[in-house]
């Protein structure tokens, strides 16, 4: 019944060059990496009264406000890039009154910003066009969910799904989703990639590139498949984000502690150097700076596994690690399932093996400082795809990737004119059932999708279970089914994120399986007659249109 299609978001994003193909229309670029200078004669800092002025000794001079800790100027090759809308670059929407100090240690300058229990850091290294940053949020006393670099308008092209034109586009949802006259939708939410799929995001003119190289996200939340704000542009300016915690479509509690370094850096138009990526960077130079919460390589450990058995080799497998303090992940080798996850903070973690984005194995693992926790082959024994079925639409991988409109929905609103009709009744055996079946179902849009199928006499003589896998839901939307004249009980809603999801580029919530036991009396006894499965959305909450109760599908199947 099923032909696997590689989920569109599994492509390896190499940064905003590749992201530009999917989200901005910009050309893929390559280059010499972050610029450096052989001479560091001008490296150092001064005080202009209101700001600390840091000269990197390369082509970058930046300023940090002495009273707020905002990044107030970002001059690269004599051009000012920083600031739009009367605001500077900063943690959240600005910390306000803070204690700001500066110190130089050899070839590194460190600015320390203290606001209550929160500490933020900027660092410059001699001869580099980079601003290194860390944010240490110790508790919930301040709402710090991001760092945003605000860049002037008119420097970089305002194109892509995560761009909009306020002067001519129209807001269609919640003040942050826009539609253009041709019907294509745009939003800061529509960068369209998972955390594990990118190392950096940014913009390039072809001769100058400005990039945010992400941290390892160990103190972020949501896991490897989480989608969040990465960047945006409009006629007012450009934003580049490092998300510390974001409550949109969030499945985990906020983590506290030091996150970083993340890097705001310039290039000659090409991609950042791979040595700066979180998985590659050498951070030994940070060890002596006195950054609160910093744990160097010597205080970290590693988990390594020799393989994963019982895999479906049509799918990519990821091994995730999570506890209340940190999160990590590693890709499993396609040939053996072997994996290695270095640089982990000591502690005990829940380890989850994901087939695509579906957890199919779970265990605990303990990491010690300076040690490697070696694991024998992990055996996958809970893949629901192994069940015998009469028919199956889609396959179990924790995503709606095989269903209609699924790829588009990571970077567009469901109302987008590029979306195929959200109706999608299917006939089992007609071919390409999953491609005809809508990835999402809303009470006020396409409620009551029908699946037509026939049974043999032997099959019709027995009870069978219908299983429906979902990946998330909006305002408690969940499926209730009718088979011919039989109506299922209303299932209880599983725990899902309380925020928008289906309209903001995310199908990712808590994977859940609904099981409906259909009695033999429900089936048609005429083997030539079609049985009709009707899937509807029920909820105790109300909404309209694409903000009505809804859910995203992983798989729909009838067990043998």
């Amino acid at each position: 019944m099923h032909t696997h299609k590689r989920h569109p978001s599994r492509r390896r994003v190499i940064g905003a060059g590749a992201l530009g193909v999917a989200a901005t229309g910009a050309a893929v670029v390559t280059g010499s990496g972050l610029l450096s200078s052989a001479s560091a004669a001008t490296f150092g800092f001064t005080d202009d009264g209101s700001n600390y002025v840091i000269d990197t000794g390369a082509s970058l001079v930046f300023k940090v406000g002495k009273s707020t800790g905002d990044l107030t100027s970002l001059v690269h090759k004599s051009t000012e890039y920083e600031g739009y809308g009367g605001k500077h670059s900063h943690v959240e929407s600005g910390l306000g009154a803070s204690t700001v100090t500066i110190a130089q240690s050899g070839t590194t300058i460190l600015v320390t910003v203290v606001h209550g229990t929160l500490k933020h850091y900027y660092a410059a290294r001699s001869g580099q066009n980079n601003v290194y940053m860390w944010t240490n949020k110790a508790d919930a006393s301040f709402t710090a969910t991001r760092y945003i670099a605000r860049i002037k308008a008119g420097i970089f092209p305002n194109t892509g799904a995560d761009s909009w034109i306020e002067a001519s586009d129209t807001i269609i949802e919640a003040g942050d989703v826009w539609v253009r006259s041709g019907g294509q939708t745009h939003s800061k939410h529509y960068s369209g990639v998972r955390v594990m799929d990118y190392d950096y995001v940014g913009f390039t003119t072809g001769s100058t590139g400005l990039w945010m190289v992400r941290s390892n996200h160990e103190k972020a939340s949501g896991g490897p498949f989480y989608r969040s704000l990465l960047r945006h542009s409009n006629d007012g300016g450009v934003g580049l984000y490092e998300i510390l915690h974001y409550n949109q479509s969030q499945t985990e509690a906020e983590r506290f502690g030091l996150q970083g370094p993340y890097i705001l850096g310039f290039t000659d138009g090409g991609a950042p150097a791979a040595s700066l990526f979180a998985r590659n960077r050498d951070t030994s130079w940070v060890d002596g700076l006195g950054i609160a919460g910093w744990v160097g390589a010597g205080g970290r450990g590693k988990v390594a596994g020799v393989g994963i058995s019982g895999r479906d080799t049509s799918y990519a497998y990821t091994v995730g690690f999570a506890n209340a303090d940190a999160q990590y992940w590693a890709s499993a080798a396609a040939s053996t399932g072997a994996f290695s996850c270095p640089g982990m903070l000591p502690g005990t973690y829940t380890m989850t093996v994901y087939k695509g984005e579906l957890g199919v194995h779970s265990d605990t693992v303990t990491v010690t400082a300076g040690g490697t926790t070696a694991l024998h082959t992990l055996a996958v024994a809970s893949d629901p795809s192994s069940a015998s079925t009469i028919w199956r639409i889609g396959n179990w991988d924790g995503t709606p990737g095989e269903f209609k409109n699924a790829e588009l929905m990571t970077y567009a609103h469901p109302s987008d004119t590029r979306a195929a009709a959200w109706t999608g009744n299917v006939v089992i055996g007609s071919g390409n059932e999953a491609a005809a079946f809508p990835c999402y179902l809303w009470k006020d849009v396409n409620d009551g999708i029908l699946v037509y199928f026939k049974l043999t006499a032997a099959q019709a003589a027995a009870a069978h279970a219908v299983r429906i896998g979902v990946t998330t839901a909006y305002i408690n939307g969940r499926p209730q089914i009718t088979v011919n004249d039989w109506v299922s009980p209303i299932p209880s809603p599983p725990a899902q994120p309380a925020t928008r999801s289906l309209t903001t580029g995310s199908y990712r919530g808590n994977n859940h399986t609904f099981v409906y036991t259909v009695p033999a009396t429900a089936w048609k006894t005429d083997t030539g007659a079609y049985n009709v499965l009707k899937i509807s959305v029920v909820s105790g909450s109300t909404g309209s249109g694409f903000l009505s109760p809804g859910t995203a599908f992983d798989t729909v199947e009838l067990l043998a």
Side-chain angles (χ1 to χ4, degrees):
M1 295 293 177
H2 167 70
T3 301
H4 175 63
K5 294 184 179 179
R6 189 173 184 265
H7 191 273
S9 66
R10 289 190 185 124
R11 66 192 184 280
R12 183 63 184 168
V13 174
I14 60 168
L19 184 61
V21 173
T24 71
V28 176
V29 293
T30 58
S32 60
L34 296 186
L35 297 175
S36 63
S37 171
S39 171
T42 59
F43 179 72
F45 69 89
T46 57
D47 183 338
D48 70 3
S50 299
N51 306 278
Y52 291 119
V53 183
I54 297 103
D55 191 325
T56 65
S59 302
L60 174 64
V61 178
F62 66 94
K63 298 180 182 181
V64 178
K66 292 170 59 180
S67 62
T68 63
D70 286 0
L71 185 65
T72 59
S73 176
L74 195 66
V75 175
H76 178 252
K77 293 185 178 180
S78 302
T79 297
E80 176 65 78
Y81 285 80
E82 202 280 328
Y84 73 78
K87 296 181 180 181
H88 292 300
S89 304
H90 40 222
V91 173
E92 192 54 10
S93 294
L95 295 175
S98 304
T99 300
V100 184
T101 57
I102 191 168
Q104 181 170 344
S105 176
T107 57
T108 301
I109 295 170
L110 182 70
V111 178
T112 301
V113 182
V114 179
H115 179 89
T117 61
L118 185 142
K119 294 181 174 69
H120 181 74
Y121 302 89
Y122 300 92
R125 301 186 70 194
S126 178
Q128 294 189 11
N129 286 315
N130 305 327
V131 182
Y132 293 84
M133 291 181 277
W134 298 257
T135 303
N136 189 334
K137 185 183 179 185
D139 52 43
S141 60
F142 184 80
T143 304
T145 61
R146 67 182 182 183
Y147 190 93
I148 179 171
R150 303 182 189 271
I151 309 302
K152 291 181 179 294
I155 298 176
F156 296 106
N158 182 31
T159 58
D162 51 11
S163 70
W164 63 93
I165 304 171
E166 293 191 14
S168 57
D169 293 348
T170 302
I171 293 175
I172 60 171
E173 184 179 295
D176 60 10
V177 181
W178 304 71
V179 66
R180 200 146 293 171
S181 58
Q184 291 194 8
T185 52
H186 297 258
S187 175
K188 63 184 179 181
H189 299 288
Y190 295 159
S191 294
V193 294
R194 309 172 300 178
V195 172
M196 67 177 292
D197 292 329
Y198 78 96
D199 293 299
Y200 57 90
V201 293
F203 298 88
T204 182
T205 64
S207 59
T208 299
L210 177 59
W211 315 99
M212 183 72 81
V213 185
R214 71 166 175 85
S215 70
N216 67 358
H217 276 227
E218 70 183 2
K219 295 295 184 177
S221 49
F225 315 121
Y226 187 60
R227 285 178 164 85
S228 190
L229 305 183
L230 301 182
R231 62 172 213 176
H232 79 263
S233 64
N234 58 39
D235 35 346
V238 159
L240 288 174
Y241 299 92
E242 169 75 347
I243 296 298
L244 312 178
H245 176 78
Y246 193 52
N247 197 38
Q248 191 83 52
S249 297
Q250 186 56 253
T251 58
E252 292 185 299
E254 184 173 11
R255 293 182 171 92
F256 299 110
L258 183 71
Q259 181 159 301
Y262 49 99
I263 305 164
L264 184 64
F266 286 91
T267 71
D268 56 1
S275 60
L276 291 174
F277 299 170
R279 63 181 185 275
N280 297 331
R281 64 176 66 124
D282 174 12
T283 57
S284 58
W285 61 276
V286 183
D287 292 349
L289 296 181
I291 293 176
W294 175 254
V295 178
R300 295 171 177 270
K302 175 182 178 180
V303 175
V306 297
I308 303 170
S309 65
R311 292 176 300 122
D312 180 340
T313 56
S314 299
Y315 292 86
Y317 281 71
T318 303
V319 184
F321 305 87
N323 61 22
D325 298 318
Q327 63 169 7
Y328 306 94
W329 55 84
S331 296
S335 56
T336 62
F339 60 92
S340 176
C341 190
M344 299 173 66
L345 293 173
T348 298
Y349 295 85
T350 297
M351 177 180 67
T352 304
V353 176
Y354 295 95
K355 169 194 174 187
E357 297 183 15
L358 183 68
V360 292
H361 177 83
S362 182
D363 208 337
T364 58
V365 62
T366 299
V367 176
T368 57
T372 296
T373 302
L375 302 177
H376 296 296
T377 299
L378 305 178
V380 171
S382 57
D383 185 346
S385 296
S386 62
S388 177
T389 63
I390 296 172
W391 52 260
R392 176 180 289 155
I393 305 175
N395 199 15
W396 295 95
D397 68 352
T399 84
E402 297 148 304
F403 293 106
K404 183 166 60 174
N405 291 327
E407 179 179 6
L408 179 65
M409 287 303 96
T410 62
Y411 58 90
H413 191 269
S415 65
D416 197 290
T417 53
R418 292 168 292 179
W422 283 105
T423 53
N425 300 337
V426 299
V427 177
I428 298 300
S430 60
N432 291 323
E433 291 91 342
F437 194 92
C439 62
Y440 300 161
L441 186 69
W442 292 271
K443 188 171 182 61
D444 201 34
V445 176
N446 58 343
D447 198 33
I449 294 294
L450 305 178
V451 179
Y452 296 89
F453 60 97
K454 294 180 180 180
L455 297 176
T456 66
Q459 291 167 341
H464 298 280
V466 171
R467 291 200 303 191
I468 298 178
V470 302
T471 67
T472 194
Y474 180 61
I475 54 174
N476 287 330
R478 67 265 192 199
Q480 182 184 27
I481 69 168
T482 299
V483 178
N484 301 320
D485 295 325
W486 178 84
V487 181
S488 76
I490 296 176
S492 300
Q496 295 290 4
T499 59
R500 289 177 297 156
S501 54
L502 306 181
T503 60
T504 56
S506 178
Y507 57 77
R508 181 72 186 168
N510 294 309
N511 293 112
H512 182 80
T513 303
F514 295 93
V515 181
Y516 312 84
T517 301
V518 184
T521 55
W523 311 118
K524 300 282 188 180
T525 56
D526 179 358
T527 58
Y530 280 107
N531 291 272
V532 182
L533 166 68
K534 181 180 180 180
I535 305 174
S536 303
V537 174
V538 293
S539 175
S541 302
T542 59
S544 61
F546 294 110
L547 291 179
S548 64
T551 193
F553 292 105
D554 180 3
T555 306
V556 179
E557 66 183 10
L558 178 64
L559 297 182

